[in-house]
Amino acid sequence: MQINQALPIHCVYCFDVLLAYLHKKDVPKPTFQEFDVPVFVTFHTNKEDLRGCIGTFSPGPLGQQLAKYTYLSAFKDSRFPPISMKELDYLDVGVSLLVNFQKGKKWNQWEVGKHGIIIDFQEGGREYGATFLPEVASEQEWDVNTTLEHLIAKAGYRKNYQNVLDKIDLTTYETSKVQLTYAEYLELKK
């Protein structure tokens, strides 16, 4: 087993944490091997509809990271109302461990479906920055140029994206990702 590999037990823990908050109980302690890693926790309903996604690029103890970002993704993602008990049967959780960071890349030195990208650039005296996880471009069926166009807009730059391509400082990363439905979670808890 690789140390930075996402495992089903990590998703089980996210559901344990979610249920603890929903039932107003103490958050359980993790039972898996701890290591420091940046993480994202993503909830979907009906296996495809985004329901919450928050994470961090700062490494920290895996159990603490999963507990914190499960809570934030489930209850504090400003795009969605807090997750409720009635949604559990339709819910799945994904854990993405962020690995293999490579800084100093040019805007087109990455591969759709393999790399997540972080962009930073300055224009007009202002700093811009944004990221997409590796699955975003492939799920949207975007190529490199289209992905950069959307990511530059996400960063807040509203003019022609091609004006800033050569100013971009790009970092690539990869994820080790695992997903689990609530039904699968219940089976594993038996």
Side-chain angles (χ1 to χ4, degrees):
M1 175 188 79
Q2 288 181 287
I3 188 128
N4 285 356
Q5 183 177 357
L7 301 170
I9 189 73
H10 301 146
C11 291
V12 168
Y13 184 65
C14 291
F15 274 123
D16 287 345
V17 169
L18 175 64
L19 289 171
Y21 278 109
L22 287 171
H23 293 296
K24 298 185 181 354
K25 296 189 178 196
D26 290 339
V27 172
K29 298 220 180 304
T31 58
F32 46 79
Q33 181 179 358
E34 287 279 5
F35 52 92
D36 287 356
V37 65
V39 304
F40 272 74
V41 175
T42 305
F43 286 100
H44 287 92
T45 53
N46 303 315
K47 294 199 178 193
E48 59 185 48
D49 298 325
L50 183 64
R51 188 60 183 80
C53 180
I54 298 180
T56 182
F57 287 99
S58 298
L62 181 59
Q64 290 176 19
Q65 299 275 63
L66 291 178
K68 178 178 182 177
Y69 292 102
T70 294
Y71 172 77
L72 292 174
S73 295
F75 302 110
K76 299 295 182 183
D77 188 326
S78 61
R79 299 170 292 179
F80 306 99
I83 288 176
S84 66
M85 291 288 291
K86 66 183 180 189
E87 295 177 86
L88 288 175
D89 288 338
Y90 309 101
L91 209 57
D92 68 64
V93 66
V95 170
S96 298
L97 306 184
L98 283 50
V99 298
N100 299 334
F101 285 82
Q102 300 287 318
K103 295 183 177 194
K105 302 280 189 170
K106 298 217 181 294
W107 68 269
N108 59 353
Q109 292 181 311
W110 64 280
E111 187 179 325
V112 171
K114 178 179 181 182
H115 296 114
I117 55 173
I118 303 167
I119 61 165
D120 292 294
F121 62 95
Q122 291 184 358
E123 178 65 22
R126 182 172 168 212
E127 293 185 16
Y128 297 87
T131 189
F132 279 145
L133 292 171
E135 58 269 18
V136 172
S138 57
E139 286 175 359
Q140 298 299 319
E141 299 180 353
W142 293 337
D143 61 14
V144 168
N145 284 326
T146 305
T147 303
L148 264 295
E149 180 179 4
H150 286 278
L151 190 54
I152 290 167
K154 181 182 178 186
Y157 186 77
R158 301 290 182 233
K159 297 180 182 171
N160 185 339
Y161 79 100
Q162 293 176 331
N163 295 342
V164 296
L165 288 177
D166 289 331
K167 297 179 181 184
I168 289 175
D169 180 25
L170 188 131
T171 300
T172 62
Y173 59 93
E174 298 174 42
T175 57
S176 173
K177 185 173 181 179
V178 64
Q179 287 183 257
L180 196 70
T181 66
Y182 185 66
E184 291 166 333
Y185 163 77
L186 292 176
E187 281 297 312
L188 290 171
K189 291 300 276 189
K190 284 184 180 180

